[in-house]
């Protein structure tokens, strides 16, 4: 897939209060929901670090904090947040422990209607879509490098790994209904992958000439679809079934089928646990990334893997 990893300046200076708060809240691996000023009320109205964290006090940070200052804003002491930017952010959804704080922390405009955060029947505060990456790389989550991830943040993408989300910049899953991988360790170049599911396509979508790029566990294939939504490249096949009524394509979940055969896929898939060893029903996950005309879909798909050393290995959907 296209490498969308971005380069960022190292965080060389971080305010002491923000560092302490990061440690207490244990936010070393929390990706961000990129909120605008309007989506981040009331915290975005606070324009300096002291006012942003006015409710906080040492030792009881989270129980009192309403907002979090972004330590990437390397401003002079008492400095104001630049015009047009958000430096003070709402606390993460998952850290809220009651319904009122959950809705408020999500940026609700009236304190009642959920926005970004919502309270579930299981008494949990969770994220509400859409979720987008706010521009971090995987290295920004590595505490050993001296880089600390603090704010803005609130939600993990539930469909992908952290690395996928940060690299692809999407939290938009394909509906994968079936994934099956067969590896032939005895006869090279005889591996197979079958994927079935759906992709959400917009109204007016033109399937003829559409580009479909697929990565399954690092096995990457590119197709150009014809007027019937079909494509064949060597022994590989793709089909996207887009329906139209009286020539008009409405927004829909289009059926997708990918069939890759006679390939040498084992080396690409070994990092995902599909190794040449004797194993039975081992639970693992395989990243699926699909790009359709520039729109990205990504999901980490659960599988069970059974293999015999030197002979074969196969995955299937878990029961």
């Amino acid at each position: 897939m296209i490498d969308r990893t971005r380069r960022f300046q190292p965080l060389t200076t971080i305010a002491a209060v923000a560092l302490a708060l990061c440690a207490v809240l244990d936010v070393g691996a929390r990706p961000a929901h990129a909120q605008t000023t309007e989506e981040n009320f009331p915290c975005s109205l606070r324009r300096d670090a002291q006012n942003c964290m006015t409710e906080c006090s040492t030792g009881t940070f989270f129980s009192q904090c309403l907002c979090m200052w972004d330590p990437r804003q390397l401003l002079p002491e008492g400095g104001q947040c630049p015009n047009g930017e958000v430096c003070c952010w709402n606390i993460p959804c998952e850290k809220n422990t009651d319904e009122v704080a959950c809705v408020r922390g999500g940026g609700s405009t009236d304190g009642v209607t959920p926005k970004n955060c919502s309270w579930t029947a299981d008494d949990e505060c969770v994220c509400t879509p859409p979720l987008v990456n706010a521009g971090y790389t995987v290295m920004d989550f590595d505490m050993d490098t001296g880089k600390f991830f603090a704010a803005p943040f609130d939600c993990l993408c539930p469909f992908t790994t952290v690395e996928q989300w940060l690299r692809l910049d999407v939290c938009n899953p394909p509906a994968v209904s079936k994934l099956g991988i067969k590896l032939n360790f005895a006869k090279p170049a005889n591996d197979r992958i079958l994927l079935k599911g759906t992709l959400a396509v917009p109204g007016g979508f033109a399937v003829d000439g559409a580009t479909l790029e697929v990565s399954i566990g690092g096995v990457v294939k590119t197709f150009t679809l014809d007027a019937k939504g079909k494509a064949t490249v060597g022994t590989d096949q793709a089909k996207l079934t887009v329906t139209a009524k009286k020539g008009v394509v409405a927004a829909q979940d289009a059926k997708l089928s990918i069939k890759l055969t006679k390939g040498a896929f084992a080396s690409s898939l070994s990092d995902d646990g599909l190794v040449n060893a004797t194993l039975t029903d081992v639970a693992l996950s395989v990243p699926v990334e699909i790009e359709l005309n520039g729109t990205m879909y990504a999901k980490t798909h659960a599988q069970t893997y059974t293999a015999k050393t030197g002979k074969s290995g196969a995955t299937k959907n878990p029961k």
Side-chain angles (χ1 to χ4, degrees):
M1 304 298 285
I2 299 171
D3 183 5
R4 290 175 174 75
T5 303
R6 309 176 202 176
R7 298 181 182 275
F8 293 87
Q9 295 291 330
L11 305 182
T12 55
T13 306
I14 300 177
V17 65
L19 283 174
L21 189 50
C22 289
V24 171
L25 295 184
D26 185 26
V27 295
R30 308 244 184 257
H33 174 93
Q35 297 174 330
T36 65
T37 302
E38 292 76 14
E39 292 175 325
N40 199 62
F41 288 139
C43 297
S44 58
L45 298 177
R46 303 183 181 188
R47 309 306 297 166
D48 63 72
Q50 183 174 355
N51 287 329
C52 175
M53 302 174 67
T54 188
E55 294 90 0
C56 306
S57 65
T58 304
T60 57
F61 285 115
F62 189 76
S63 63
Q64 296 184 7
C65 286
L66 174 65
C67 309
M68 166 77 79
W69 185 255
D70 186 347
R72 295 178 302 171
Q73 297 291 344
L74 305 179
L75 305 177
E77 186 174 354
Q80 296 289 307
C81 183
N83 290 335
E85 294 189 20
V86 177
C87 302
C88 186
W89 298 84
N90 297 334
I91 56 178
C93 297
E94 63 190 68
K95 292 292 185 179
N96 289 292
T97 57
D98 66 77
E99 185 172 2
V100 173
C102 175
V103 175
R104 177 196 64 184
S108 172
T109 55
D110 58 12
V112 177
T113 306
K115 184 173 183 179
N116 297 326
C117 300
S118 60
W119 193 253
T120 71
D122 296 325
D123 293 336
E124 294 179 340
C125 190
V126 299
C127 308
T128 56
L131 306 179
V132 284
N133 164 26
Y136 290 92
T137 69
V138 174
M139 290 302 294
D140 290 317
F141 297 86
D142 186 355
M143 302 296 280
D144 294 334
T145 66
K147 298 180 181 181
F148 290 83
F149 178 68
F153 54 72
D154 58 13
C155 298
L156 289 168
C157 177
F159 310 113
T160 68
T161 64
V162 170
E163 191 276 338
Q164 271 186 301
W165 189 26
L166 293 174
R167 177 166 55 83
L168 299 174
D169 202 16
V170 293
C171 184
N172 186 22
V176 178
S177 59
K178 182 179 181 180
L179 177 62
I181 301 171
K182 292 185 177 180
L183 303 178
N184 191 330
F185 299 124
K187 297 180 180 180
N190 276 279
D191 302 331
R192 297 166 55 91
I193 299 177
L194 174 64
L195 181 147
K196 291 185 177 182
T198 60
L199 291 181
V201 299
F205 178 80
V207 67
D208 191 12
T211 300
L212 182 71
E213 186 174 347
V214 181
S215 174
I216 302 172
V219 177
V220 180
K221 301 290 180 178
T222 301
F223 303 92
T224 300
L225 304 178
D226 62 17
K228 295 183 178 180
K230 297 180 179 180
T232 299
V233 179
T235 59
D236 303 325
Q237 299 177 354
K239 182 179 180 181
L240 183 68
T241 304
V242 178
T243 60
K245 292 184 179 180
K246 297 182 179 180
V248 178
V249 174
Q252 61 191 270
D253 291 330
K255 291 183 179 179
L256 175 68
S257 175
I258 303 292
K259 187 177 182 180
L260 311 180
T261 60
K262 296 184 179 180
F265 307 144
S267 60
S268 297
L269 292 162
S270 61
D271 289 345
D272 299 305
L274 281 72
V275 294
N276 186 356
T278 299
L279 303 167
T280 303
D281 289 336
V282 175
L284 48 78
S285 59
V286 176
V288 175
E289 300 165 5
I290 300 172
E291 182 174 341
L292 178 63
N293 277 0
T295 298
M296 289 298 311
Y297 305 81
K299 184 177 184 179
T300 300
H301 197 70
Q303 296 275 270
T304 58
Y305 179 61
T306 297
K308 192 168 184 178
T309 303
K311 292 189 176 182
S312 64
T315 74
K316 60 183 180 181
N317 286 357
K319 296 180 180 179

